Amino acid sequence: MNNYQLYRHRSVSDNVNMVFDFVGENWKKWLKMMVYFLLPFSVILGIAIATFYSDTETSMSSTAYVLFIVLFILGSAVATALEMLLIQWYETHGGTLDGCNMATMWRMMPGATLRCLLLIVTSLPILLLSVLAIIIPIAGLAAIFAVLPVFLSAPIMMLEPKDSLLNVIKRAFSLGYKKWGALILISLIMGLVGFLLNNATTFPLGMLVSLKELLVDPNTGSVFWSFVTDIATYVLCVAGSFISFIEMGLFIHAITCHYGSVTAEVEDIDLDNDIDNFAQLK
């Protein structure tokens, strides 16, 4: 993909196409990296979810719930850092992931993940506004759209010189609102993509739960069918957790492309400085 250039003014459709062109060209290495770094989180989270599917009478303790949230946030930080590092590598190595291997990524991941984790924790109060969607749907929807620019903090923090987290978030909102309509449209498109990907596991899982109620007699029980449906439930829950991180990676990539487009239009970015900053990570 020789025409991949992050800092260039593009339309919304071009930004979305960049994401799928990147994945389509590098899907083997991209997926391998995602599996290597995110499958452990997916397995733990999937097993936790499947346990409650298998035993609906079991209630989640406060400790287990907190642990689940912590693991999900940590996995989100890893997914964000991984996607950003892959974008940086591609952008600064002539439009290729050649030479990007596990050993190289492993050296860069701890520092990048820590920065993303700090950003997520710092931005959490802002993101929690979306909880209003459950209480007051209209206000919640408005809150979700209002906090969308906070996601631009990730590319600002990772692709440009270090700055305080507060300034990073301020700049994210400044850039986000300058092209707010395009940001909303990209988020809706990637949300639809995520919905379709998520249905690949949630629909079979729902069918499986219904099938289990028909095949497994709660009084007499059926060891064979109970075993089969339980294994299938665990597999689908792990796959669903992994797909949620895939969705996150695609969303971050789309947001990064949007950021590059907006920055090229309203600011002056020196790509040589960006290359020098990335070289210091290695």
Side-chain angles (χ1 to χ4, degrees):
M1 188 167 42
N2 296 328
N3 62 342
Y4 189 106
Q5 185 179 345
L6 186 60
Y7 295 109
R8 185 177 66 187
H9 179 50
R10 293 177 299 273
S11 65
V12 170
S13 60
D14 288 337
N15 283 325
V16 173
N17 286 336
M18 279 183 67
V19 178
F20 294 108
D21 287 344
F22 174 87
V23 174
E25 180 184 342
N26 305 282
W27 69 271
K28 288 184 180 180
K29 182 163 288 189
W30 179 77
L31 188 59
K32 183 179 180 180
M33 295 285 187
M34 297 290 281
V35 169
Y36 183 82
F37 286 103
L38 292 167
L39 189 58
F41 294 99
S42 303
V43 170
I44 297 173
L45 293 173
I47 289 175
I49 296 171
T51 299
F52 295 104
Y53 266 112
S54 299
D55 188 0
T56 54
E57 295 182 358
T58 302
S59 59
M60 182 180 286
S61 66
S62 57
T63 302
Y65 185 77
V66 170
L67 182 60
F68 182 89
I69 296 298
V70 169
L71 285 173
F72 182 76
I73 292 176
L74 183 57
S76 301
V78 171
T80 302
L82 177 61
E83 194 69 28
M84 293 303 307
L85 288 175
L86 290 174
I87 293 172
Q88 284 178 306
W89 187 282
Y90 195 89
E91 174 74 8
T92 57
H93 286 76
T96 178
L97 289 181
D98 292 344
C100 182
N101 51 42
M102 295 298 181
T104 303
M105 293 298 291
W106 183 254
R107 289 195 299 270
M108 295 187 291
M109 278 297 291
T113 300
L114 180 59
R115 290 197 295 276
C116 289
L117 185 59
L118 290 174
L119 177 61
I120 291 174
V121 172
T122 304
S123 305
L124 202 56
I126 301 174
L127 296 174
L128 287 177
L129 287 174
S130 60
V131 174
L132 289 172
I134 302 175
I135 305 173
I136 311 174
I138 296 179
L141 186 62
I144 290 173
F145 287 146
V147 303
L148 277 178
V150 76
F151 291 103
L152 293 176
S153 303
I156 292 173
M157 182 180 63
M158 296 290 290
L159 296 176
E160 296 184 21
K162 294 181 180 179
D163 203 347
S164 67
L165 284 176
L166 182 59
N167 288 336
V168 167
I169 294 174
K170 285 181 178 179
R171 185 158 175 261
F173 277 91
S174 175
L175 289 175
Y177 286 131
K178 286 177 181 175
K179 290 292 181 179
W180 194 38
L183 179 60
I184 292 175
L185 186 55
I186 286 177
S187 300
L188 291 175
I189 293 173
M190 299 312 296
L192 177 60
V193 172
F195 174 77
L196 295 175
L197 288 174
N198 193 51
N199 272 350
T201 56
T202 55
F203 179 74
L205 184 59
M207 295 293 292
L208 182 63
V209 172
S210 300
L211 185 64
K212 183 177 181 179
E213 293 178 356
L214 294 175
L215 296 178
V216 180
D217 189 335
N219 298 319
T220 62
S222 173
V223 175
F224 174 74
W225 282 113
S226 179
F227 175 78
V228 170
T229 54
D230 283 347
I231 292 297
T233 299
Y234 279 99
V235 171
L236 286 173
C237 286
V238 170
S241 299
F242 182 70
I243 286 177
S244 69
F245 290 126
I246 292 288
E247 297 168 12
M248 195 174 301
L250 294 175
F251 176 75
I252 290 297
H253 199 132
I255 288 295
T256 303
C257 292
H258 173 73
Y259 157 76
S261 176
V262 173
T263 303
E265 184 177 0
V266 302
E267 294 182 352
D268 221 1
I269 290 294
D270 186 351
L271 185 58
D272 291 335
N273 287 338
D274 181 54
I275 294 174
D276 292 339
N277 293 329
F278 179 69
Q280 295 173 5
L281 292 173
K282 298 196 295 181

